[in-house]
Structures are given as structure tokens and as C-alpha cells.
């Protein structure tokens, strides 16, 4: 599958990114009869079994454009938030490449929380009440005056999913605001902060395909963001997911479509920021109805790992329809089965953790009975080693949620690396909701 083998009607796809989400995208793209070559940059140890990996960083815009030229890519999928917010899609389009992912103007929906909150306010899209601040003294003054805890403080810009703090006390709020706005632990992302009302209710993740004209929500999912069982411990990128999310009933879905999904697409159009790609709606089903907690301008991780295995339609057809703005004419089909993903992380994650530990139990990155999406692995001298916080996503389809979970956990029990950490209660809340 070298570049020189290219024939007229075969597509060559480049995927930008290196995590479990990218691995799930690549495995789905591989199913398309239209595709005969997949490259990934930078990729990882497991992705290397499914795509040719190139050592170009995911935020290296010039490098990615060059690579797309070198391999004669017909389509480039930009998966992570940073390159999207930086304008990688614009740079690729300027060179004539077809892409999947929003341009810079639209990616701001994730790139700036101040932007997204103001958008929701302006267009009446339900979200938590909020105020924006540009200096720490005003934030603390406001929080003191309100005197309501817990409260929610969010850094304006990208912060690896860690830019949200939910202090229970004034002291915690003071130290959190200091870290974000003065110590700048998230850099310029903390120049402005949003303080918002604390909402309650189950959370639902809905990824949606959109070409800017119509919006097609995918099947729902539920993330498990905290590091430890019982939703204890620090916030992480996500320790596991299940799909469907039982809290996302047909009634809720209808309300979200009318009050959130369509209004968001229309609002972006009215702002001259038409969004094309995958828009991620992080929702909370509050006693007053569904509200938006956050938007992401990309597929979720690890939501993608449980949503895409359920997609029956050729994903390349969807990408092309979005490019051609003909998504409304495309029927998108889903597998009725449930899907679950249990993340195996390095001991210590999301704080510091060792790298380079040998992973055993897999054959060519795989294991019978489950799909193992690689997030933080590398191949070295034929050995598979850990190389990140989240290492593997052990994923299974099942006729029921229970069956899928059983398979995922059976897979987990067969895979080993020193100090592997995983939650033992992925899907527990979903199962309780189904009772
Ligand atoms: P975010 O990065 O915006 O998704 O926030 C991370 C997590 O913080 C979310 O998944 C929620 O669990 C929680 N969170 C964010 N905003 C609020 C809010 N307004 N009320 C309650 N919890 C929130
Ligand atoms: N799993 C949460 C996210 O992708 O932002």
C-alpha cells in the first residue's frame, strides 16, 4: 500500500492524531470499500497495525500539508481539537485537499468558552447561567457575593479537558482561580474565565454529523470522567464509555433536536461560522430539561470508541456528503447492539505516570472477542510499550449493555502492564437507570 500503488478510483486517507479516538476512526475507515490506503500522523503502536504512521506532529500544520502532498491524500481527517482550532483544515483546503473537520472560524465553538457561552445566550440555547471575567479579583468578588457552592469555573481556551474546576468552598475557588489566571497552568487559555451556575442531572454525550445545512445526531453515549470508581478522584479525559445512554430517551432526543442541535447549527451559520464536521454536544439532563455543558468541535474520546462500532453506513460516504453539503439525502444506519469501552490507564494518571512499560496479552495489538483501541502505546523492537496516560480502550458490542460490559472486562482481565489502572464500575449507572 505504498503511495505509488494509487489507482484512479481508490481513496487514500490521512488521519491526523494519535489516540484511541483516531484508532477507532481508522478502523471504521478501513471498513470502507472506497479506501485502499490509510496513513496516520503521528499515530501510535496499535494504529501502526492498521495504518502507515508518519512522524509528523498533530499540530504541525505545514508538516501535515506536506505529508498530505507526499502521500497524495484524497481526504484528510483532522481529529484533535488543537489543530482544528489552529486552522489546519483551512491550510489543507487552501492546498486543494478535501477534509473532515471544521475550519478555524467554526472550531472556536470549542476553542473559546466565552464565545460558546455568548452564542448560546444570544440564540436562546439552554445552558447554565454565567458571567465572564478577565481578572482574578473580580472573579473572587463575584463568587463571594453570590455565596453559592459548588460553583463552576472554566478557563476560556483549550486545556486538555482539565480547564474546569468545581470548588466546594471559597478557599478552593481562590486557589483554583489563582492557578488558572495568575500561575497560568493552562497558559493563555486562562486569560479569561467563565463562572457558571452548578447544574445537576445525568450527563449525555451526543456526537452529531453536520454539513452546516442539516444535523444528524449519532447514537448517544455516556462518559465516565473521574479517575476512580464511584465518580471519585480527579477529572480525566474519560475512563470509559457506554452507548446508548439510557438517559437519552426519545423524548429527550426530540427536545435536544428542537432546542439545541438545530439552533446551534443555525446560530453558527448566522455568525458566518458554518460548522462542517462532527459537533460534540456535552449535555446535562437537568430537572428543567437538557442543557449544554460544553461543545467540542470534534469526535469525543472515548465516546468515538463506542459510537463508531455501531455505525453501519460507510463513514467515507458520510464524510463526502458533508463535504458536498448533501448530508440530508444520506440515510445513516446504526447497529441496535450496545457498545462499551473500558480504558486501561497508566498507574498515576491523570497525574504523573511512568512510560515504556511492556504490555502483554495482545497479539498484533489485538485480542479475540474485543476490539482494542490503542491510545498511548508504542512499538519498540517488536514490543508493545505504554507511552501515555490512557493506554488502551477495551471495547465490545453486546446484545445488552451487560453482555457488552462482560466482554470488555473479560478482555481487560487478559491484558497486563505494571500498575494498570481501570475503573471497575463502567456502565454501572447506566445499568441502574435501565432497572
Ligand atoms: P467540561 O470540560 O466543560 O465538559 O466540564 C467537565 C465536567 O465538569 C463536565 O463533564 C461536568 O461533569 C462538569 N461540569 C461542567 N460544567 C458544569 C456545570 N455548569 N454544572 C455542573 N457540572 C459541570
Ligand atoms: N470525553 C470527553 C471529550 O472528548 O471531550
Amino acid at each position: 500500500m505504498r503511495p505509488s500503488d494509487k489507482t484512479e478510483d481508490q481513496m487514500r486517507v490521512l488521519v491526523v492524531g494519535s489516540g484511541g479516538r483516531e484508532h477507532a476512526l481508522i478502523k471504521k475507515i478501513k471498513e470502507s470499500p472506497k479506501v485502499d490506503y490509510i496513513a496516520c500522523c503521528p499515530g501510535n503502536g496499535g494504529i501502526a497495525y492498521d495504518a502507515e504512521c508518519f512522524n509528523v506532529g498533530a499540530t504541525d500544520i505545514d508538516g501535515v500539508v506536506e505529508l498530505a502532498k507526499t502521500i497524495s491524500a484524497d481526504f484528510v481527517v483532522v481529529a484533535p481539537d488543537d489543530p482544528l482550532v489552529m486552522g489546519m483544515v483551512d491550510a489543507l483546503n487552501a492546498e486543494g485537499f478535501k477534509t473532515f473537520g471544521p475550519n478555524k472560524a467554526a472550531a472556536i465553538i470549542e476553542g473559546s468558552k466565552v464565545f460558546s457561552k455568548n452564542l448560546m445566550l444570544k440564540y436562546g440555547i439552554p445552558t447554565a447561567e454565567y458571567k465572564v471575567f478577565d481578572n482574578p479579583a473580580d472573579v473572587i468578588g463575584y463568587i463571594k457575593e453570590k455565596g453559592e457552592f459548588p460553583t463552576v469555573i472554566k478557563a476560556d481556551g483549550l486545556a486538555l479537558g482539565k480547564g474546569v474546576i468545581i470548588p466546594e468552598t471559597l478557599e478552593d475557588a481562590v486557589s483554583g482561580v489563582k492557578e488558572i489566571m495568575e500561575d497560568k497552568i493552562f497558559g493563555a487559555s486562562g486569560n479569561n474565565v467563565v463562572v457558571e451556575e452548578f447544574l445537576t442531572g445525568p450527563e449525555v454525550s451526543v456526537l452529531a454529523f453536520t454539513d452546516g445545512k442539516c444535523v444528524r445526531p449519532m447514537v448517544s453515549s455516556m462518559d465516565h470522567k473521574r479517575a476512580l470508581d464511584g465518580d471519585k478522584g480527579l477529572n480525566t479525559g474519560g475512563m470509559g464509555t457506554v452507548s446508548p445512554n439510557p438517559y437519552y430517551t426519545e423524548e429527550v432526543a426530540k427536545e435536544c433536536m428542537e432546542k439545541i442541535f438545530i439552533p446551534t447549527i443555525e446560530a453558527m451559520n448566522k455568525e458566518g461560522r458554518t460548522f462542517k464536521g462532527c459537533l460534540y454536544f456535552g449535555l446535562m439532563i437537568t430537572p428543567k430539561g437538557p442543557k449544554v455543558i460544553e461543545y467540542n468541535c470534534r469526535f469525543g474520546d472515548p465516546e468515538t470508541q463506542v459510537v463508531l462500532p455501531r455505525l453501519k453506513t460507510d463513514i467515507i460516504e458520510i464524510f463526502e456528503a458533508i463535504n458536498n453539503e448533501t448530508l440530508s439525502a444520506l440515510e445513516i444506519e446504526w447497529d441496535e447492539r450496545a457498545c462499551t469501552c473500558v480504558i486501561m490507564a497508566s498507574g498515576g494518571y491523570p497525574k504523573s505516570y511512568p512510560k515504556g512499560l511492556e504490555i502483554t496479552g495482545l497479539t498484533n495489538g489485538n485480542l479475540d472477542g474485543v476490539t482494542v483501541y490503542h491510545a498511548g502505546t508504542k512499538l519498540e523492537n517488536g514490543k508493545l510499550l505504554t507511552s501515555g496516560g490512557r493506554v488502551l480502550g477495551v471495547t465490545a458490542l453486546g446484545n445488552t449493555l451487560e453482555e457488552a460490559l462482560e466482554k470488555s472486562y473479560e478482555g481487560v482481565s487478559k491484558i497486563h502492564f505494571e500498575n494498570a489502572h481501570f475503573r471497575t464500575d463502567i456502565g454501572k449507572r447506566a445499568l441502574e437507570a435501565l432497572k
Side-chain angles (χ1 to χ4, degrees):
M1 292 210 301
R2 307 296 308 178
S4 56
D5 299 338
K6 184 174 161 63
T7 63
E8 287 276 309
D9 52 355
Q10 291 173 321
M11 273 178 78
R12 309 175 61 79
V13 179
L14 170 62
V15 176
V16 178
S18 64
R21 165 185 54 207
E22 286 74 13
H23 200 185
L25 277 160
I26 285 167
K27 281 200 185 283
K28 187 49 71 173
I29 292 167
K30 217 175 158 183
E31 288 174 15
S32 171
K34 297 183 173 193
V35 173
D36 82 321
Y37 173 79
I38 309 173
C40 183
C41 66
N44 64 39
I47 290 176
Y49 289 107
D50 293 303
E52 185 170 7
C53 293
F54 291 87
N55 192 16
V56 174
T59 54
D60 178 356
I61 294 185
D62 292 343
V64 169
V65 170
E66 270 316 300
L67 177 60
K69 286 180 187 168
T70 309
I71 64 167
S72 312
D74 297 299
F75 219 101
V76 185
V77 179
V78 183
D81 40 41
D82 305 81
L84 290 166
V85 171
M86 289 162 68
M88 185 175 281
V89 161
D90 309 60
L92 286 160
N93 292 159
E95 294 289 338
F97 289 104
K98 284 194 203 168
T99 49
F100 180 81
N103 63 14
K104 184 176 180 176
I108 193 175
I109 198 164
E110 174 171 2
S112 168
K113 294 224 189 265
V114 174
F115 171 86
S116 65
K117 294 298 289 191
N118 289 345
L119 184 85
M120 289 186 267
L121 180 68
K122 182 169 170 188
Y123 293 94
I125 298 164
T127 188
E129 280 176 27
Y130 72 103
K131 246 178 125 85
V132 178
F133 296 92
D134 63 7
N135 79 78
D138 288 354
V139 182
I140 298 305
Y142 173 75
I143 291 174
K144 249 189 205 160
E145 186 191 311
K146 271 215 129 180
E148 282 169 17
F149 291 94
T151 185
V152 183
I153 305 171
K154 300 186 175 182
D156 177 35
L158 297 181
L160 294 170
K162 294 174 191 157
V164 176
I165 53 169
I166 307 188
E168 304 265 351
T169 63
L170 183 61
E171 294 76 58
D172 287 351
V174 170
S175 65
V177 168
K178 181 177 174 294
E179 281 181 3
I180 296 174
M181 299 192 89
E182 288 174 12
D183 306 343
K184 294 266 192 295
I185 56 168
F186 307 119
S189 288
N191 288 352
N192 293 294
V193 300
V194 172
V195 177
E196 64 179 44
E197 162 201 13
F198 178 76
L199 299 175
T200 56
E203 287 183 56
V204 180
S205 305
V206 178
L207 318 179
F209 290 115
T210 175
D211 59 357
K213 290 185 168 158
C214 89
V215 54
R216 305 292 282 276
M218 302 178 218
V219 288
S220 63
S221 55
M222 182 193 284
D223 195 3
H224 297 69
K225 286 202 162 111
R226 302 290 203 94
L228 307 175
D229 280 13
D231 293 325
K232 303 251 161 51
L234 295 170
N235 249 321
T236 70
M239 292 299 295
T241 33
V242 302
S243 175
N245 183 325
Y247 292 103
Y248 193 68
T249 59
E250 263 176 48
E251 201 187 337
V252 171
K254 191 165 171 281
E255 196 175 350
C256 288
M257 193 66 174
E258 284 165 11
K259 295 189 180 156
I260 297 174
F261 304 157
I262 294 172
T264 301
I265 301 307
E266 288 177 350
M268 290 299 276
N269 285 337
K270 284 186 190 136
E271 294 295 309
R273 297 176 181 274
T274 295
F275 190 103
K276 290 168 81 165
C278 171
L279 184 51
Y280 169 127
F281 296 89
L283 306 168
M284 197 172 264
I285 315 303
T286 76
K288 290 184 187 158
K291 294 193 180 186
V292 177
I293 290 282
E294 64 163 346
Y295 293 115
N296 292 324
C297 65
R298 50 167 176 83
F299 282 96
D301 190 345
E303 282 89 344
T304 308
Q305 290 89 314
V306 290
V307 169
L308 289 190
R310 299 185 58 202
L311 176 63
K312 294 212 261 184
T313 306
D314 183 344
I315 198 167
I316 292 294
E317 274 186 35
I318 300 174
F319 290 172
E320 287 186 316
I322 290 172
N323 241 274
N324 302 333
E325 298 180 11
T326 54
L327 188 61
S328 65
L330 190 70
E331 177 105 14
I332 300 180
E333 284 187 89
W334 297 96
D335 194 322
E336 288 298 315
R337 286 177 294 172
C339 192
T340 59
C341 172
V342 176
I343 298 289
M344 295 182 77
S346 300
Y349 174 75
K351 287 195 166 163
S352 63
Y353 48 84
K355 288 184 187 176
L357 304 173
E358 186 172 358
I359 303 166
T360 56
L362 299 175
T363 309
N364 292 338
N366 286 313
L367 178 64
D368 281 349
V370 289
T371 304
V372 181
Y373 295 121
H374 290 233
T377 68
K378 67 176 172 187
L379 273 174
E380 226 172 67
N381 304 323
K383 282 188 178 168
L384 193 65
L385 308 176
T386 66
S387 73
R390 292 187 291 179
V391 177
L392 301 167
V394 185
T395 306
L397 284 160
N399 289 320
T400 60
L401 188 55
E402 271 143 322
E403 194 185 302
L405 282 167
E406 245 170 61
K407 285 196 213 169
S408 279
Y409 276 112
E410 199 188 325
V412 168
S413 73
K414 293 178 182 161
I415 304 170
H416 302 281
F417 53 89
E418 202 186 316
N419 260 329
H421 165 63
F422 57 89
R423 276 180 62 163
T424 66
D425 65 345
I426 299 302
K428 194 171 166 210
R429 252 181 317 139
L431 285 174
E432 279 164 7
L434 287 170
K435 274 186 197 148

